[in-house]
Amino acid sequence: MADVATEIAKKMEEKAEPSVTVAPTKTVVAATAEEAETKVMVTPPKAVEATNKSAEDEVKPTETSSLVGKLETDVEIKASAGQFHHMFTGKPHHVSKASPGNIQGCDLHEGDWGKPGSIILWNYVHDGEAKVAKERIEAVEPEKNLITFRVIEGDLMKEYKSFLLTIQVTPKHGGAGSIVHWHLEYEKISDEVAHPETLLQFCVEVSKEIDEHLLAKE
């Protein structure tokens, strides 16, 4: 009976040993899980979306920059900076007397002369045509002899979405006279519209005639 019991025990041990081989299955599963986590970390779609957005951002400034522009020039005059500045703040309606061939009239429609927010209507001749420009005074800085006008109605608005003119007069260093700085900032309605170089030349001519007018009154 003892020998039979021993043989049965051996057979039971032999059957129990194969069950230990289940452990490697867990190792395989763990390796598969690690591989899955590694793949999740890769996010190509996000990179593509970022590239598309930056490409759009790069195009927009390029399209806008072809329509937005700035022009500026300096004009030397013999009059003082304060005198010239006062012509556009205190008595712009006298500019037509100084430059009758270019400026036909200037009327105050709202507010006070030389005050921010006031509305002024100019009648002028540009490129051989009689034109009008309704402007709002955007800023006045007496200590800098600076004034800024924004065109809100008139002929310029047929070709430009926005148009600002800034006039700043600075005394010459080490001598008599002043420098008139004209700064035009604008946005065209299309690429077919020309940059306002002829209007900038118009401003130069008006400046010189105002200077002559001021000197003649002294």
Side-chain angles (χ1 to χ4, degrees):
M1 292 294 291
D3 292 339
V4 174
T6 301
E7 288 181 6
I8 292 172
K10 287 181 180 181
K11 288 181 180 181
M12 291 180 66
E13 287 177 359
E14 289 176 359
K15 289 181 179 180
E17 286 178 1
S19 63
V20 178
T21 59
V22 176
T25 305
K26 293 183 180 179
T27 303
V28 173
V29 173
T32 305
E34 290 175 0
E35 290 176 359
E37 290 177 359
T38 303
K39 291 179 181 179
V40 170
M41 295 298 294
V42 181
T43 55
K46 292 185 179 180
V48 171
E49 291 178 2
T51 302
N52 291 339
K53 290 181 181 179
S54 63
E56 292 175 359
D57 293 340
E58 289 176 2
V59 171
K60 289 180 181 178
T62 302
E63 293 175 351
T64 305
S65 63
S66 65
L67 301 177
V68 174
K70 296 179 182 180
L71 287 177
E72 51 191 338
T73 189
D74 291 328
V75 184
E76 292 189 20
I77 62 173
K78 295 180 180 178
S80 70
Q83 286 177 311
F84 193 95
H85 176 67
H86 186 62
M87 284 291 289
F88 284 93
T89 55
K91 48 183 182 181
H93 49 296
H94 288 184
V95 175
S96 60
K97 296 180 180 179
S99 184
N102 294 305
I103 306 296
Q104 296 180 325
C106 180
D107 299 313
L108 181 66
H109 271 227
E110 185 179 323
D112 299 308
W113 294 117
K115 300 295 182 182
S118 298
I119 307 297
I120 298 173
L121 179 67
W122 296 89
N123 290 278
Y124 63 102
V125 178
H126 176 231
D127 288 340
E129 297 181 12
K131 299 181 179 181
V132 296
K134 182 179 284 189
E135 299 176 345
R136 180 175 62 241
I137 299 176
E138 291 286 287
V140 179
E141 298 183 43
E143 67 281 2
K144 295 181 180 180
N145 294 309
L146 180 147
I147 186 169
T148 298
F149 298 96
R150 178 183 293 276
V151 182
I152 56 177
E153 291 181 22
D155 290 274
L156 285 171
M157 293 292 94
K158 297 176 183 178
E159 298 182 312
Y160 301 91
K161 292 181 180 179
S162 63
F163 206 105
L164 278 83
L165 302 90
T166 298
I167 311 166
Q168 183 172 13
V169 197
T170 306
K172 282 185 180 179
H173 294 292
S178 311
I179 302 294
V180 182
H181 182 75
W182 287 86
H183 182 94
L184 312 183
E185 188 172 346
Y186 52 89
E187 181 179 358
K188 302 185 296 180
I189 60 174
S190 71
D191 286 324
E192 297 177 357
V193 175
H195 293 283
E197 285 101 347
T198 59
L199 186 61
L200 189 65
Q201 183 57 39
F202 171 90
C203 296
V204 172
E205 293 175 4
V206 171
S207 299
K208 292 179 178 179
E209 292 184 349
I210 290 176
D211 186 37
E212 293 176 359
H213 175 77
L214 292 171
L215 293 175
K217 293 182 64 177
E218 291 182 353

